[in-house]
Amino acid sequence: MVIGLTACGGQKKPPPVVNEVTPINTGKPLIRSLMDLGSFDLPLGNGVPKHFTDKRFTPGEWVMIKGKNLGVQQITIDGRDIPVRKYFDSNPLFRIPTGLSPMKTHTLVVSNEYDKTSTQFDTHHYLVATDTDGKVTHLINTDRDEKGGINEEWVELDSDAKRPMFNLMSNDSAFLFHMDVLKRSDVRLQDGAVTYPVEIHTYHMGAPNEPAKVASFKVLVASTPIDAILSKNNILLLLGKQSVTLVDVSDPVHLKFISHTPLPENENTKTTYVDAAFLDGDRKIALLETYSNQVVLLDASNPQQLKALDTLSLLPEKSIPLSIDLEVDPNDDTQFWVLEGANFRLMGTQLSAMYKKYIKKERVEENKQVVYQLQPLSVNTNKGTSKNSPTLI
């Protein structure tokens, strides 16, 4: 008996592994089937995780095209170019992109130097909705065959949190970051700020049958949590009323704390930051403070040490909170808009104005009159003390 030889005397063929070598084609391409492999990375030199296969193709999930003569570095889905950078047993591997419609069947085309071939597949999507009163978060299934495109059977996320609050999808939609806000903590930061523990739960959207929790991470936020946003570079920002907390989510299973930053407070009125946005390639952060109607710009080039760059008063003539929301231009992330108008913080002011107007027949002071506007702003890197110290215009 000779170890390592087959019965006919030939050497055993090593098992296939994930590699980056484009296979050589000897004829026309042939697609036999598609196999979904989950959303975790596929390291070179390893096999593929077939236990994730459930024939439900979700955005961000890895898919293997099984067939013959599939040595290509690019495929198309609905006419959109999709890169292929890995292979397993001469079969190309690709990630399902974001932006595919849940209401249509998709066409995948493989073209090599001899010919082209195609196949079709459907994608499975979820809408995420948190019922804060019911203290439950739902994953709502899409189904193009159902009326309205929604399946009546919803998935409930397993959580015993007192306050389920925020949901963010990873940039490739492969993972969901679900955030629960716990009760106010007894832990205080060095500056004496009261903290709120926030649990960030990571859900694998490509898990078999339904999304599965794969990690949990707890971080302290130095003021009442207001919002959560995600940068293109996978930095999760937790916005508090007077603070910013950053978490690195580039590895969805092993999150890492980056920094806490207290924000400037108003001298003569309350301070509540209501929205945040990453700008200029994630090198800057814009923050909207509602009571002073100001935008604060931070330098985020070093996420471990955020620095204030500038402050712009949007409505200096107003003494009421009118700032509501920030929105970044999807085509130019140095441009953004601020929405200003009536909001729930004005209820007392508006009731007082109605009383004066209709009962006392008095005119409301101009500084307390509501305005409605969408104000365009930009980050100007050529204005200020130096080209590296941008200001708002």
Side-chain angles (χ1 to χ4, degrees), residues 60-362:
E61 188 171 18
W62 283 101
V63 175
M64 179 165 60
I65 310 174
K66 302 179 72 174
K68 188 177 180 181
N69 293 318
L70 301 176
V72 296
Q73 295 181 321
Q74 178 179 285
I75 62 172
T76 65
I77 296 178
D78 298 341
R80 176 178 168 186
D81 293 339
I82 307 298
V84 172
R85 298 190 179 95
K86 297 182 180 182
Y87 306 86
F88 178 81
D89 201 16
S90 299
N91 296 316
L93 304 166
F94 71 94
R95 279 189 183 271
I96 297 176
T98 60
L100 297 182
S101 171
M103 302 304 293
K104 63 177 289 187
T105 295
H106 310 291
T107 299
L108 182 152
V109 178
V110 176
S111 303
N112 69 9
E113 61 269 36
Y114 295 96
D115 203 353
K116 66 180 180 180
T117 189
S118 65
T119 190
Q120 292 187 318
F121 68 101
D122 295 327
T123 49
H124 190 89
H125 304 250
Y126 290 97
L127 304 175
V128 186
T130 293
D131 176 3
T132 54
D133 290 335
K135 296 180 174 56
V136 63
T137 296
H138 301 280
L139 297 180
I140 304 171
N141 299 276
T142 63
D143 188 338
R144 65 185 180 88
D145 295 326
E146 293 286 340
K147 185 178 180 180
I150 299 297
N151 192 309
E152 292 184 359
E153 295 183 4
W154 296 1
V155 176
E156 288 189 6
L157 298 188
D158 180 25
S159 174
D160 56 359
K162 300 296 182 184
R163 295 173 62 194
M165 293 288 288
F166 311 124
N167 298 290
L168 289 173
M169 296 300 300
S170 62
N171 289 312
D172 58 6
S173 291
F175 295 91
L176 165 68
F177 302 111
H178 169 67
M179 282 150 275
D180 295 330
V181 180
L182 306 182
K183 293 181 179 179
R184 187 195 296 190
S185 172
D186 292 331
V187 178
R188 293 178 179 268
L189 300 181
Q190 291 181 348
D191 60 1
V194 176
T195 59
Y196 290 80
V198 175
E199 284 189 321
I200 306 174
H201 306 287
T202 303
Y203 283 83
H204 176 205
M205 304 306 287
N209 302 318
E210 66 179 42
K213 186 191 294 187
V214 293
S216 292
F217 178 81
K218 185 180 289 187
V219 65
L220 295 176
V221 176
S223 57
T224 307
I226 293 291
D227 198 7
I229 62 172
L230 184 64
S231 78
K232 296 176 183 177
N233 293 326
N234 296 307
I235 293 177
L236 190 153
L237 184 154
L238 283 162
L239 177 65
K241 282 186 176 182
Q242 297 98 28
S243 66
V244 162
T245 300
L246 299 182
V247 177
D248 181 357
V249 298
S250 54
D251 182 344
V253 179
H254 301 98
L255 278 55
K256 297 179 181 178
F257 169 77
I258 298 177
S259 63
H260 284 304
T261 303
L263 299 176
E265 295 190 33
N266 298 322
E267 291 184 3
N268 301 317
T269 185
K270 297 179 182 178
T271 301
T272 298
Y273 289 84
V274 293
D275 203 5
F278 285 95
L279 302 170
D280 193 20
D282 295 345
R283 290 184 290 270
K284 301 172 187 69
I285 298 171
L287 300 158
L288 184 62
E289 202 289 315
T290 188
Y291 285 99
S292 62
N293 298 306
Q294 289 186 335
V295 172
V296 175
L297 187 66
L298 301 180
D299 179 359
S301 55
N302 178 7
Q304 294 182 339
Q305 191 174 2
L306 302 181
K307 296 180 180 179
L309 288 173
D310 200 7
T311 300
L312 179 66
S313 182
L314 303 173
L315 296 168
E317 73 283 1
K318 298 294 182 181
S319 62
I320 54 177
L322 293 169
S323 299
I324 301 172
D325 193 28
L326 289 174
E327 189 64 37
V328 181
D329 186 336
N331 300 314
D332 181 357
D333 70 353
T334 65
Q335 312 283 331
F336 63 103
W337 296 273
V338 176
L339 175 63
E340 294 161 325
N343 57 72
F344 75 90
R345 294 179 179 84
L346 284 173
M347 286 193 299
T349 301
Q350 288 179 306
L351 287 173
S352 175
M354 290 175 62
Y355 174 78
K356 289 181 179 180
K357 180 177 180 180
Y358 296 109
I359 303 300
K360 300 189 70 174
K361 306 300 181 182
E362 294 180 1

